[in-house]
Amino acid sequence: MMLGACTAMQAQEITSPDGHLKVNVGCDNGVANYSVVLDQDTLVCKSPLGMATSLTWRTKDRKSYTGDYTKGVQLAKMSEVKQVSESYSLPQTKKANISYTANEAVYSFQNEAGIPVFDVVMHVDNSNVAFKYVIFAQGDRKACLVESEATSYVLPEGTTTFICPQMTPQTGFARTAPSYETFYDYDAPMGKNGHGRGYTFPALFKVPTKMVNAKSSNGNCAWVMLNETNIGGNYCGSRIESTGSRSYGIKYPEQTEFGGVGSSAPGIMLDGKGGETPWRTITVGRDLKPIAETTIQWDLVKPQYEAKYDYKYGRSAWSWIIRMDASCNYDEQKEYVDFASAMGWEYLLVDALWDTNIGYDRMEQLSKYAQSKGVNLFLWYNSNGYWNDAPQGPRGKMHRMIDRRKEMAWMQKAGIKGIKVDFVGSDKQQTMQMYEDILADANEYGIMVIFHGCTLQRGWERMYPNFVSCEAVRASENLAFGQNDNDIEALAGTIHPVLRNAVGNMDFGGSALNKHYSKNNERGTTRKTSDVYALATAILFQTPVQNFAVAPNNMTDAPAWAIDFMKSVPVTWEDMKFIDGYPGKYVVMARKSSAGNWYIAAINADDKPLTLNINLLDYFNVAETVNIYSDDANLQGSVKPFKVGKIAPKIIVPKNGGVVIK
Ligand code: CA
């Protein structure tokens, strides 16, 4: 195909390796577009592509052009389709060994003068579509801002949404928002725009379909999850805003985020091959299995540096969730070291205010004592900085490289193994650069990193080997703060394993066995979920360093079978399988531990008790005896042995209850 003003192409199709998933890329009236079809069902209708850049240039014949590619472009050519495949290991995620095969093609767009302006790289496997832009240098320009994107997702009529509204920047506790901590809309109609500023990734949609869906108990529908990946210091994080009755468009951070510091528009280098934007991903399925099990967020990224140390994952005790700020003193942290040691857990997370309430010298003593008991420490840090007012210390240690490296050198000397950096609410490129810099520096000193009050990671498990997890969820702290979160704990619990946690490790900090969120277990908010629910979410909520809310008093006031389970609960996994679920109602999943043992876990949030009929022979050997942890109708839990045979055990899960089979 020749380039030129009069040689625009018709839309061109690329299909998945199995031929079921099809993407059409074309151009109508100067606007690039794409659509996504699964067999005969359209899941993403014809939707705009393109972006407006800050480029302006003049050609030798003195004609002027601008880099607004949201209009006035043509599809010039489509490359050959090439098959790409890869295998890699990622033992700190839901699947230790990952492999994929996909088809890729490059669609080249030109402006009206026939000048190549950008490519769309399209990557299609059997359940994921991903695309990125490559924007070309023009004239003498070697860099640009990408001021906005036309990239949109137009969904079929009747689609319902499972999405999280974006928070208003510089609101919330001490101006720390946005931090991905709002309530989901469940099965809500399209056309709303959250709190007026759209929704965060990942976003889930239920799309009505023509094709009869015998496989799914959810009726004739398909599921579509939107996300993005490969974002560190190279770009900003994005969100989606409602741009019509059934359309959502990519939007960049707001200028007020991060205390107003930094550009809301990302900047990119334009070298010889052009500058790349992040991958935008669309994961689809007739049921939620491909979504819960997707690895597309890691398939499309590369490690940004080698692990300098051998990072060890494990279970962690954490006093703050039950005893709050007051517990951050030497004596109570020592009590928690003893508790972690008694549980056989590897870590203790010491939360905010340790710098003043314990101090650096005594922290060295605490770390030494902990190590003598087989426990290592994670320390909390405030990200600040100049972007919010959060008063908790240590402050001002993480945002500049010189201070950060001094602090991390001290940590290494004191045997500290990890940090939890809190209050980083922004998706600006400058903020993403800071996340990346903290991770890269921490790797130099053998420090693992958890972020809280933060953005969503976008491929970071593979990009940064010492990255553990982000919060980016309305997490357990809200169970301590207010009763409403407890009243709907199970409802929210059923969506995380198939959505938020599907795209990356999630620091939820759950599995409380206290009846009340307080030290004496009498005052405070009241837990409505069962003890088996706590065990089930220890399996369903995945992150390789779990900060559990189990407390020292639970050694005597919680059931012995629950404590025994939590002593041996795994945090690293070889594999996982989605079994069944409906966000807001129930979820059933199986995870295979790195030691090779399957755990099947379920929770139920629906008024209607959930009846499970799982073929255990898919996971266990015939005549093998497994333990079934389950609840009676009054949420009283127990554990019973069961001999695996042809007949599946009949298990009923009441509302707010759970099941674990191991
Ligand atoms: Ca938080």
Side-chain angles (χ1 to χ4, degrees):
M1 179 69 61
M2 296 282 292
L3 280 184
C6 302
T7 57
M9 277 183 113
Q10 296 298 308
Q12 300 291 315
E13 184 179 89
I14 175 173
T15 60
S16 56
D18 69 3
H20 290 288
L21 188 55
K22 289 164 263 187
V23 181
N24 257 282
V25 179
C27 196
D28 290 336
N29 305 317
V31 180
N33 62 53
Y34 76 105
S35 59
V36 178
V37 177
L38 181 62
D39 295 313
Q40 68 266 46
D41 288 311
T42 298
L43 301 186
V44 180
C45 309
K46 197 182 274 189
S47 305
L49 295 170
M51 75 301 296
T53 73
S54 61
L55 287 170
T56 56
W57 76 96
R58 273 184 156 202
T59 48
K60 286 197 184 99
D61 55 1
R62 304 182 62 79
K63 286 207 175 97
S64 297
Y65 298 94
T66 72
D68 181 358
Y69 308 139
T70 61
K71 53 185 192 281
V73 301
Q74 297 171 328
L75 177 58
K77 61 176 175 176
M78 176 189 175
S79 72
E80 299 274 287
V81 175
K82 77 173 182 206
Q83 192 163 87
V84 292
S85 59
E86 192 187 8
S87 297
Y88 57 96
S89 63
L90 215 48
Q92 72 275 41
T93 68
K94 60 185 168 183
K95 281 185 193 176
N97 297 297
I98 298 172
S99 60
Y100 69 86
T101 300
N103 288 335
E104 276 190 12
V106 180
Y107 295 81
S108 299
F109 288 84
Q110 61 192 16
N111 70 6
E112 280 161 343
I115 300 169
V117 288
F118 70 88
D119 284 350
V120 176
V121 182
M122 195 57 78
H123 173 108
V124 186
D125 70 28
N126 292 344
S127 51
N128 300 278
V129 171
F131 58 86
K132 65 178 175 185
Y133 301 115
V134 181
I135 301 168
F136 297 122
Q138 304 291 353
D140 297 330
R141 297 291 299 271
K142 296 278 184 286
C144 72
L145 290 179
V146 184
E147 289 167 339
S148 65
E149 274 187 48
T151 313
S152 297
Y153 311 90
V154 180
L155 297 159
E157 202 74 57
T159 294
T160 58
T161 68
F162 299 77
I163 44 184
C164 238
Q166 167 76 340
M167 302 163 87
T168 305
Q170 300 284 291
T171 63
F173 174 70
R175 296 193 293 126
T176 55
S179 55
Y180 294 69
E181 295 180 26
T182 57
F183 294 107
Y184 281 92
D185 292 340
Y186 294 87
D187 246 343
M190 296 186 291
K192 292 188 293 181
N193 196 33
H195 305 158
R197 35 190 38 93
Y199 302 92
T200 54
F201 287 119
L204 182 66
F205 300 88
K206 186 183 162 193
V207 178
T209 55
K210 293 184 291 237
M211 186 165 149
V212 176
N213 194 0
K215 218 172 73 178
S216 170
S217 54
N218 303 155
N220 288 347
C221 73
W223 297 90
V224 173
M225 179 175 71
L226 307 180
N227 193 31
E228 59 179 1
T229 192
N230 196 30
I231 301 173
N234 57 318
Y235 219 76
C236 64
S238 295
R239 68 205 143 89
I240 51 169
E241 275 205 2
S242 179
T243 49
S245 62
R246 52 191 186 91
S247 166
Y248 297 87
I250 289 282
K251 287 286 178 296
Y252 292 154
E254 293 181 81
Q255 188 51 50
T256 47
E257 290 182 21
F258 213 42
V261 175
S263 168
S264 66
I268 55 172
M269 277 177 66
L270 306 171
D271 64 10
K273 288 180 180 164
E276 293 188 358
T277 66
W279 289 97
R280 301 276 150 61
T281 65
I282 304 169
T283 304
V284 305
R286 298 267 170 205
D287 60 23
L288 287 162
K289 186 176 172 67
I291 288 166
E293 298 182 7
T294 190
T295 58
I296 190 71
Q297 62 274 11
W298 304 309
D299 296 346
L300 297 170
V301 306
K302 288 276 180 282
Q304 300 295 297
Y305 51 77
E306 292 282 307
K308 193 163 174 181
Y309 296 85
D310 184 18
Y311 296 108
K312 290 196 172 62
Y313 307 107
R315 294 80 48 89
S316 179
W318 177 38
S319 73
W320 185 89
I321 186 61
I322 297 296
R323 302 187 184 182
M324 301 265 125
D325 288 352
S327 67
C328 210
N329 59 74
Y330 189 91
D331 292 343
E332 282 184 78
Q333 293 309 311
K334 186 165 175 284
E335 181 193 352
Y336 261 78
V337 166
D338 294 338
F339 166 60
S341 178
M343 292 297 288
W345 290 354
E346 292 78 8
Y347 293 106
L348 169 67
L349 166 61
V350 183
D351 216 281
L353 304 170
W354 61 265
D355 59 326
T356 44
N357 293 355
I358 297 174
Y360 282 76
D361 290 345
R362 296 196 80 204
M363 183 54 76
E364 288 177 24
Q365 282 174 39
L366 184 69
S367 177
K368 209 169 182 180
Y369 175 72
Q371 289 171 64
S372 77
K373 305 279 283 183
V375 176
N376 284 288
L377 302 185
F378 271 64
L379 298 183
W380 185 95
Y381 279 85
N382 192 327
S383 78
N384 260 344
Y386 34 71
W387 43 85
N388 66 52
D389 309 316
Q392 290 90 342
R395 299 179 83 237
K397 301 288 192 187
M398 280 295 136
H399 71 294
R400 291 176 66 235
M401 189 183 81
I402 295 165
D403 301 324
R404 185 165 65 221
R405 289 188 155 216
K406 263 187 215 156
E407 193 77 2
M408 288 174 174
W410 169 77
M411 286 180 216
Q412 190 170 36
K413 191 177 103 221
I416 306 299
K417 294 295 181 199
I419 51 176
K420 168 182 169 180
V421 183
D422 207 341
F423 306 134
V424 211
S426 164
D427 300 331
K428 283 181 176 174
Q429 185 173 17
Q430 181 158 346
T431 323
M432 292 296 179
Q433 183 70 62
M434 188 184 73
Y435 285 109
E436 184 175 82
D437 291 348
I438 290 172
L439 286 158
D441 279 346
N443 184 50
E444 295 300 311
Y445 299 94
I447 306 289
M448 291 183 278
V449 183
I450 296 170
F451 291 110
H452 250 243
C454 57
T455 191
L456 173 77
Q457 70 264 43
R458 288 150 161 101
W460 294 0
E461 288 83 354
R462 192 173 181 203
M463 291 163 73
Y464 314 115
N466 56 327
F467 169 76
V468 172
S469 61
C470 282
E471 185 183 32
V473 64
R474 194 171 171 87
S476 63
E477 60 195 21
N478 293 289
L479 298 168
F481 293 152
Q483 188 56 41
N484 181 53
D485 280 83
N486 288 274
D487 297 342
I488 61 162
E489 182 186 359
L491 173 95
T494 60
I495 197 168
H496 301 322
V498 297
L499 186 55
R500 162 64 184 90
N501 214 176
V503 303
N505 302 342
M506 177 178 79
D507 193 51
F508 187 86
S511 298
L513 291 171
N514 264 30
K515 298 289 178 213
H516 303 276
Y517 282 84
S518 64
K519 183 176 175 180
N520 69 6
N521 204 3
E522 287 168 7
R523 289 192 310 272
T525 54
T526 304
R527 188 164 60 93
K528 296 289 184 69
T529 53
S530 73
D531 292 337
V532 181
Y533 176 98
L535 273 42
T537 50
I539 305 300
L540 291 169
F541 297 175
Q542 174 269 324
T543 183
V545 178
Q546 286 266 28
N547 295 304
F548 288 125
V550 182
N553 52 289
N554 300 142
M555 299 293 258
T556 50
D557 64 12
W561 49 261
I563 289 296
D564 287 345
F565 180 92
M566 293 305 295
K567 282 180 176 173
S568 67
V569 68
V571 291
T572 51
W573 306 98
E574 194 178 302
D575 201 3
M576 56 86 63
K577 284 198 169 86
F578 172 83
I579 298 173
D580 197 5
Y582 193 97
K585 291 183 180 170
Y586 67 98
V587 64
V588 190
M589 273 175 37
R591 293 194 196 274
K592 189 185 194 180
S593 73
S594 49
N597 303 313
W598 280 104
Y599 288 70
I600 299 169
I603 53 174
N604 182 31
D606 206 22
D607 290 333
K608 194 176 116 203
L610 173 69
T611 303
L612 291 180
N613 198 347
I614 300 166
N615 182 6
L616 297 186
L617 291 171
D618 290 347
Y619 306 93
F620 304 102
N621 296 321
V622 77
E624 191 178 338
T625 299
V626 296
N627 286 311
I628 300 181
Y629 299 75
S630 63
D631 286 311
D632 67 15
N634 300 315
L635 295 176
Q636 292 304 303
S638 63
V639 54
K640 293 186 187 74
F642 180 85
K643 200 168 174 187
V644 176
K646 278 197 186 119
I647 298 164
K650 197 177 175 208
I651 304 166
I652 311 262
V653 190
K655 181 178 183 172
N656 293 330
V659 164
V660 178
I661 307 171
K662 63 167 253 198

